Amino acid sequence: MTRIVFLPHDELCPEGAVIEAEPGVTVCDAALKHGIEIEHACEKSCACTTCHVIVREGFDSMEEPDELEEDMLDKAWGLEPESRLSCQAVVGDEELVVEIPKYTINQVSERR
């Protein structure tokens, strides 16, 4: 099992969270399994940026993003060099420290 530390997020996990995940699952699936309701408007199909996270530690232990993920990340709010779409970022054997940005670009919400 790999440890994932989620830094505090005002709405999703105000006190932060430390979870264990099986290597091979995505950061998004691991978060959802442990009650961290990270947005995933496209149902984890790499078609939006609502599940954008910043991997503060352990970034280099994950496989590099593919071209589609990189193209989607270009549209994410608050993009940083360690940004990933959590629906595409696969947990490896090294501990991760993950920050969920305060804002997302959720086109569904913007249409209301």
Side-chain angles (χ1 to χ4, degrees):
M1 296 292 270
T2 301
R3 188 168 113 143
I4 305 174
V5 177
F6 285 91
L7 298 176
H9 182 278
D10 289 344
E11 294 174 19
L12 302 178
C13 52
E15 296 178 17
V18 178
I19 66 171
E20 298 283 329
E22 288 282 339
V25 303
T26 65
V27 171
C28 186
D29 285 337
L32 293 170
K33 181 178 179 182
H34 289 88
I36 301 169
E37 295 296 321
I38 192 164
E39 275 191 80
H40 53 286
C42 71
E43 295 300 319
K44 302 180 274 186
S45 66
C46 196
C48 74
T49 63
T50 59
C51 71
H52 169 229
V53 296
I54 303 162
V55 182
R56 296 293 181 198
E57 293 179 26
F59 181 83
D60 292 333
S61 71
M62 296 184 297
E63 292 182 20
E64 292 189 22
D66 64 18
E67 189 174 329
L68 177 59
E69 181 182 357
E70 287 181 345
D71 288 346
M72 291 308 303
L73 279 168
D74 286 340
K75 302 172 186 176
W77 181 90
L79 184 65
E80 294 193 19
E82 295 81 23
S83 288
R84 291 296 304 264
L85 297 181
S86 66
C87 72
Q88 302 300 303
V90 176
V91 175
D93 293 327
E94 191 175 312
E95 179 178 307
L96 302 174
V97 176
V98 176
E99 178 181 350
I100 303 169
K102 185 173 182 175
Y103 301 106
T104 66
I105 299 172
N106 186 335
Q107 295 177 0
V108 175
S109 294
E110 292 173 359
R111 286 190 213 141
R112 289 183 187 170

